[in-house]
Amino acid sequence: MGYKKTIKTSGVSGSGNQDAFQSPMLTSTNYTVWAIRMKVLLNVHKFWDTIDPGATDNDKNNIAIALIYQSIWEATIMQVGNLESAKEIWNTIKTRNLGDDRVKEARLLTLMNEFDSMRMKETETIDEFVAKLSCTASKAASLGEMIKETKMVNKFLSSLP
């Protein structure tokens, strides 16, 4: 799993009143959770607008880039280091982790097949199984497919041992 780095932003214009926050590390398997956490962190410190819609304030852009760089591995930094805006870096990381439309479609199909074949194991608790279902629903949402609550409930009920 990834480790976390503490990033201090006190004294930075637009950083809010917080003195520090934990930055999640992006790994090969946690893009969806990483993106959610980074969006919240960038929002809290008033830097998300450099990504969406893509504000051009140079100081805010540089800080957003620095915060993103704190949460990615050196190899990824080398891949995006020539990009000049936080928005470009964010979109490149997103594309590399979610892929283009065909790849995204294939991942979604695989994920939905996994969802359909999920069964609660005798050794699993209800909370563990619900967490697996929720995780799958979150991954599907990140790929553009919302799993309806009724489908989740039906899956849960039909999957009990």
Side-chain angles (χ1 to χ4, degrees):
M1 286 286 173
Y3 61 90
K4 296 180 180 185
K5 294 182 181 180
T6 301
I7 301 172
K8 300 219 179 246
T9 58
S10 58
V12 175
S13 174
S15 66
N17 293 328
Q18 294 74 18
D19 287 329
F21 65 90
Q22 294 293 309
S23 179
M25 283 303 290
L26 176 63
T27 67
S28 60
T29 59
N30 74 341
Y31 173 77
T32 302
V33 172
W34 174 86
I36 292 167
R37 287 180 174 162
M38 285 302 294
K39 180 177 179 181
V40 168
L41 294 174
L42 289 165
N43 255 324
V44 163
H45 293 286
K46 312 287 189 253
F47 299 121
W48 179 248
D49 65 336
T50 63
I51 293 165
D52 187 19
T56 57
D57 179 304
N58 201 37
D59 289 337
K60 287 177 79 173
N61 182 62
N62 288 336
I63 294 168
I65 289 171
L67 294 175
I68 292 170
Y69 279 5
Q70 291 293 312
S71 69
I72 59 178
W73 297 103
E74 288 178 6
T76 306
I77 292 172
M78 296 302 294
Q79 295 170 357
V80 298
N82 64 326
L83 303 174
E84 295 183 13
S85 76
K87 181 179 181 118
E88 289 176 304
I89 292 168
W90 184 272
N91 288 337
T92 300
I93 291 170
K94 180 179 180 180
T95 299
R96 289 176 193 254
N97 284 276
L98 293 181
D100 63 13
D101 288 339
R102 289 179 296 181
V103 172
K104 198 172 2 176
E105 230 175 88
R107 286 184 179 175
L108 183 59
L109 182 60
T110 301
L111 187 65
M112 295 312 293
N113 285 337
E114 288 174 15
F115 177 81
D116 291 340
S117 65
M118 269 187 193
R119 298 286 177 258
M120 184 174 164
K121 297 174 185 162
E122 300 257 348
T123 58
E124 273 182 316
T125 66
I126 289 177
D127 286 341
E128 290 170 336
F129 186 65
V130 168
K132 278 195 339 191
L133 289 174
S134 295
C135 183
T136 302
S138 294
K139 288 178 182 177
S142 75
L143 294 169
E145 179 73 25
M146 298 300 294
I147 300 176
K148 293 182 180 178
E149 187 175 335
T150 54
K151 185 172 183 175
M152 294 285 287
V153 170
N154 287 337
K155 180 64 179 173
F156 172 75
L157 293 174
S158 66
S159 299
L160 294 174

Short mmCIF file of all heavy atoms in Angstrom, two decimals, residues 32 104-118 132-133 135-145 147:
data_model
loop_
_atom_site.label_atom_id
_atom_site.label_comp_id
_atom_site.label_asym_id
_atom_site.label_seq_id
_atom_site.Cartn_x
_atom_site.Cartn_y
_atom_site.Cartn_z
N THR A 32 -8.88 5.52 -7.85
CA THR A 32 -10.19 6.08 -7.53
C THR A 32 -10.20 6.73 -6.15
O THR A 32 -10.62 7.88 -5.99
CB THR A 32 -11.28 4.99 -7.61
OG1 THR A 32 -11.26 4.43 -8.93
CG2 THR A 32 -12.65 5.57 -7.34
N LYS A 104 -11.41 1.98 -20.76
CA LYS A 104 -12.37 2.21 -19.68
C LYS A 104 -13.56 1.27 -19.83
O LYS A 104 -14.03 0.69 -18.85
CB LYS A 104 -12.83 3.67 -19.70
CG LYS A 104 -13.47 4.07 -18.41
CD LYS A 104 -13.81 5.53 -18.20
CE LYS A 104 -13.59 6.53 -19.22
NZ LYS A 104 -14.08 7.86 -18.85
N GLU A 105 -14.03 1.09 -21.06
CA GLU A 105 -15.14 0.18 -21.32
C GLU A 105 -14.78 -1.26 -20.94
O GLU A 105 -15.57 -1.97 -20.32
CB GLU A 105 -15.51 0.23 -22.82
CG GLU A 105 -16.97 0.42 -23.08
CD GLU A 105 -17.20 0.59 -24.57
OE1 GLU A 105 -17.39 -0.44 -25.25
OE2 GLU A 105 -17.21 1.75 -25.04
N ALA A 106 -13.57 -1.68 -21.30
CA ALA A 106 -13.12 -3.04 -20.98
C ALA A 106 -13.00 -3.22 -19.46
O ALA A 106 -13.40 -4.25 -18.92
CB ALA A 106 -11.78 -3.32 -21.65
N ARG A 107 -12.45 -2.21 -18.78
CA ARG A 107 -12.34 -2.29 -17.32
C ARG A 107 -13.71 -2.36 -16.67
O ARG A 107 -13.92 -3.10 -15.72
CB ARG A 107 -11.57 -1.08 -16.78
CG ARG A 107 -10.10 -1.16 -17.06
CD ARG A 107 -9.37 -0.01 -16.42
NE ARG A 107 -7.95 -0.12 -16.70
CZ ARG A 107 -7.06 0.77 -16.36
NH1 ARG A 107 -7.41 1.86 -15.71
NH2 ARG A 107 -5.79 0.59 -16.64
N LEU A 108 -14.64 -1.58 -17.20
CA LEU A 108 -16.00 -1.58 -16.65
C LEU A 108 -16.66 -2.94 -16.86
O LEU A 108 -17.30 -3.47 -15.96
CB LEU A 108 -16.83 -0.47 -17.27
CG LEU A 108 -18.24 -0.31 -16.74
CD1 LEU A 108 -18.24 -0.04 -15.24
CD2 LEU A 108 -18.95 0.83 -17.46
N LEU A 109 -16.48 -3.51 -18.02
CA LEU A 109 -17.05 -4.83 -18.31
C LEU A 109 -16.48 -5.87 -17.35
O LEU A 109 -17.22 -6.67 -16.78
CB LEU A 109 -16.78 -5.23 -19.76
CG LEU A 109 -17.35 -6.56 -20.22
CD1 LEU A 109 -18.86 -6.56 -20.08
CD2 LEU A 109 -16.95 -6.83 -21.65
N THR A 110 -15.17 -5.84 -17.16
CA THR A 110 -14.53 -6.77 -16.22
C THR A 110 -15.05 -6.56 -14.80
O THR A 110 -15.38 -7.53 -14.10
CB THR A 110 -13.00 -6.59 -16.25
OG1 THR A 110 -12.53 -6.82 -17.57
CG2 THR A 110 -12.30 -7.52 -15.28
N LEU A 111 -15.16 -5.31 -14.40
CA LEU A 111 -15.64 -4.99 -13.06
C LEU A 111 -17.09 -5.45 -12.86
O LEU A 111 -17.42 -6.03 -11.82
CB LEU A 111 -15.54 -3.48 -12.83
CG LEU A 111 -15.83 -2.98 -11.44
CD1 LEU A 111 -14.79 -3.50 -10.45
CD2 LEU A 111 -15.84 -1.46 -11.43
N MET A 112 -17.92 -5.26 -13.86
CA MET A 112 -19.33 -5.67 -13.74
C MET A 112 -19.44 -7.19 -13.72
O MET A 112 -20.31 -7.74 -13.02
CB MET A 112 -20.17 -5.06 -14.86
CG MET A 112 -20.27 -3.53 -14.77
SD MET A 112 -20.66 -2.88 -13.12
CE MET A 112 -22.32 -3.44 -12.91
N ASN A 113 -18.57 -7.89 -14.45
CA ASN A 113 -18.55 -9.35 -14.38
C ASN A 113 -18.14 -9.82 -12.98
O ASN A 113 -18.71 -10.78 -12.45
CB ASN A 113 -17.62 -9.94 -15.44
CG ASN A 113 -18.22 -9.88 -16.82
OD1 ASN A 113 -19.44 -9.82 -16.98
ND2 ASN A 113 -17.38 -9.88 -17.83
N GLU A 114 -17.15 -9.15 -12.41
CA GLU A 114 -16.75 -9.46 -11.03
C GLU A 114 -17.90 -9.22 -10.06
O GLU A 114 -18.15 -10.02 -9.17
CB GLU A 114 -15.54 -8.62 -10.62
CG GLU A 114 -14.25 -9.01 -11.28
CD GLU A 114 -13.12 -8.04 -10.95
OE1 GLU A 114 -13.24 -7.23 -10.00
OE2 GLU A 114 -12.10 -8.09 -11.66
N PHE A 115 -18.60 -8.12 -10.26
CA PHE A 115 -19.74 -7.78 -9.40
C PHE A 115 -20.80 -8.88 -9.50
O PHE A 115 -21.32 -9.35 -8.49
CB PHE A 115 -20.33 -6.43 -9.80
CG PHE A 115 -21.55 -6.03 -9.01
CD1 PHE A 115 -21.42 -5.48 -7.75
CD2 PHE A 115 -22.82 -6.20 -9.54
CE1 PHE A 115 -22.54 -5.11 -7.01
CE2 PHE A 115 -23.95 -5.84 -8.82
CZ PHE A 115 -23.81 -5.30 -7.55
N ASP A 116 -21.11 -9.28 -10.72
CA ASP A 116 -22.14 -10.30 -10.92
C ASP A 116 -21.77 -11.64 -10.30
O ASP A 116 -22.64 -12.37 -9.82
CB ASP A 116 -22.41 -10.49 -12.43
CG ASP A 116 -23.10 -9.28 -13.04
OD1 ASP A 116 -23.71 -8.48 -12.29
OD2 ASP A 116 -23.02 -9.12 -14.27
N SER A 117 -20.48 -11.96 -10.27
CA SER A 117 -20.07 -13.26 -9.72
C SER A 117 -19.74 -13.20 -8.23
O SER A 117 -19.43 -14.24 -7.63
CB SER A 117 -18.87 -13.79 -10.50
OG SER A 117 -17.76 -12.97 -10.33
N MET A 118 -19.81 -12.04 -7.62
CA MET A 118 -19.50 -11.93 -6.19
C MET A 118 -20.49 -12.71 -5.35
O MET A 118 -21.69 -12.65 -5.57
CB MET A 118 -19.58 -10.46 -5.74
CG MET A 118 -18.34 -9.70 -5.82
SD MET A 118 -18.64 -8.09 -5.06
CE MET A 118 -17.21 -7.25 -5.60
N LYS A 132 -16.93 -4.68 0.24
CA LYS A 132 -16.53 -5.11 -1.10
C LYS A 132 -17.52 -4.63 -2.16
O LYS A 132 -17.11 -4.15 -3.22
CB LYS A 132 -16.41 -6.65 -1.17
CG LYS A 132 -15.10 -7.15 -0.64
CD LYS A 132 -14.73 -8.57 -0.96
CE LYS A 132 -15.76 -9.57 -1.32
NZ LYS A 132 -15.26 -10.95 -1.35
N LEU A 133 -18.80 -4.74 -1.86
CA LEU A 133 -19.81 -4.26 -2.79
C LEU A 133 -19.68 -2.74 -3.01
O LEU A 133 -19.74 -2.25 -4.14
CB LEU A 133 -21.23 -4.59 -2.29
CG LEU A 133 -21.64 -6.06 -2.33
CD1 LEU A 133 -23.01 -6.23 -1.67
CD2 LEU A 133 -21.67 -6.58 -3.76
N CYS A 135 -17.04 -0.86 -2.56
CA CYS A 135 -15.80 -0.59 -3.29
C CYS A 135 -16.00 -0.81 -4.79
O CYS A 135 -15.58 0.00 -5.61
CB CYS A 135 -14.69 -1.48 -2.76
SG CYS A 135 -13.09 -1.18 -3.53
N THR A 136 -16.67 -1.88 -5.14
CA THR A 136 -16.94 -2.16 -6.55
C THR A 136 -17.83 -1.07 -7.14
O THR A 136 -17.60 -0.62 -8.27
CB THR A 136 -17.61 -3.55 -6.70
OG1 THR A 136 -16.72 -4.53 -6.15
CG2 THR A 136 -17.89 -3.88 -8.16
N ALA A 137 -18.84 -0.64 -6.40
CA ALA A 137 -19.72 0.43 -6.87
C ALA A 137 -18.94 1.72 -7.08
O ALA A 137 -19.18 2.45 -8.06
CB ALA A 137 -20.87 0.64 -5.89
N SER A 138 -18.01 2.03 -6.19
CA SER A 138 -17.19 3.24 -6.33
C SER A 138 -16.30 3.16 -7.56
O SER A 138 -16.15 4.14 -8.30
CB SER A 138 -16.33 3.44 -5.09
OG SER A 138 -17.12 3.72 -3.98
N LYS A 139 -15.71 2.00 -7.78
CA LYS A 139 -14.87 1.82 -8.96
C LYS A 139 -15.70 1.97 -10.23
O LYS A 139 -15.26 2.59 -11.20
CB LYS A 139 -14.18 0.45 -8.94
CG LYS A 139 -13.07 0.34 -7.93
CD LYS A 139 -12.47 -1.07 -7.93
CE LYS A 139 -11.40 -1.22 -6.89
NZ LYS A 139 -10.88 -2.61 -6.85
N ALA A 140 -16.89 1.40 -10.22
CA ALA A 140 -17.78 1.53 -11.38
C ALA A 140 -18.15 2.99 -11.61
O ALA A 140 -18.17 3.46 -12.76
CB ALA A 140 -19.04 0.68 -11.19
N ALA A 141 -18.43 3.71 -10.55
CA ALA A 141 -18.78 5.13 -10.67
C ALA A 141 -17.62 5.92 -11.27
O ALA A 141 -17.84 6.82 -12.09
CB ALA A 141 -19.17 5.69 -9.31
N SER A 142 -16.40 5.59 -10.88
CA SER A 142 -15.25 6.30 -11.43
C SER A 142 -15.07 6.02 -12.92
O SER A 142 -14.45 6.80 -13.63
CB SER A 142 -13.97 5.94 -10.67
OG SER A 142 -13.52 4.66 -11.04
N LEU A 143 -15.64 4.91 -13.38
CA LEU A 143 -15.58 4.57 -14.80
C LEU A 143 -16.83 5.02 -15.54
O LEU A 143 -17.01 4.73 -16.72
CB LEU A 143 -15.38 3.06 -14.96
CG LEU A 143 -14.04 2.52 -14.47
CD1 LEU A 143 -14.05 1.01 -14.43
CD2 LEU A 143 -12.89 3.03 -15.34
N GLY A 144 -17.72 5.73 -14.83
CA GLY A 144 -18.90 6.30 -15.47
C GLY A 144 -20.17 5.48 -15.36
O GLY A 144 -21.17 5.79 -16.00
N GLU A 145 -20.16 4.42 -14.58
CA GLU A 145 -21.33 3.54 -14.44
C GLU A 145 -21.82 3.57 -13.00
O GLU A 145 -21.10 3.16 -12.08
CB GLU A 145 -20.97 2.11 -14.83
CG GLU A 145 -22.09 1.12 -14.70
CD GLU A 145 -23.16 1.27 -15.78
OE1 GLU A 145 -22.85 1.79 -16.86
OE2 GLU A 145 -24.30 0.86 -15.54
N ILE A 147 -24.06 2.07 -10.17
CA ILE A 147 -24.82 0.87 -9.82
C ILE A 147 -25.95 1.33 -8.91
O ILE A 147 -25.70 1.89 -7.85
CB ILE A 147 -23.94 -0.18 -9.12
CG1 ILE A 147 -22.79 -0.61 -10.04
CG2 ILE A 147 -24.78 -1.39 -8.70
CD1 ILE A 147 -21.81 -1.59 -9.41
#
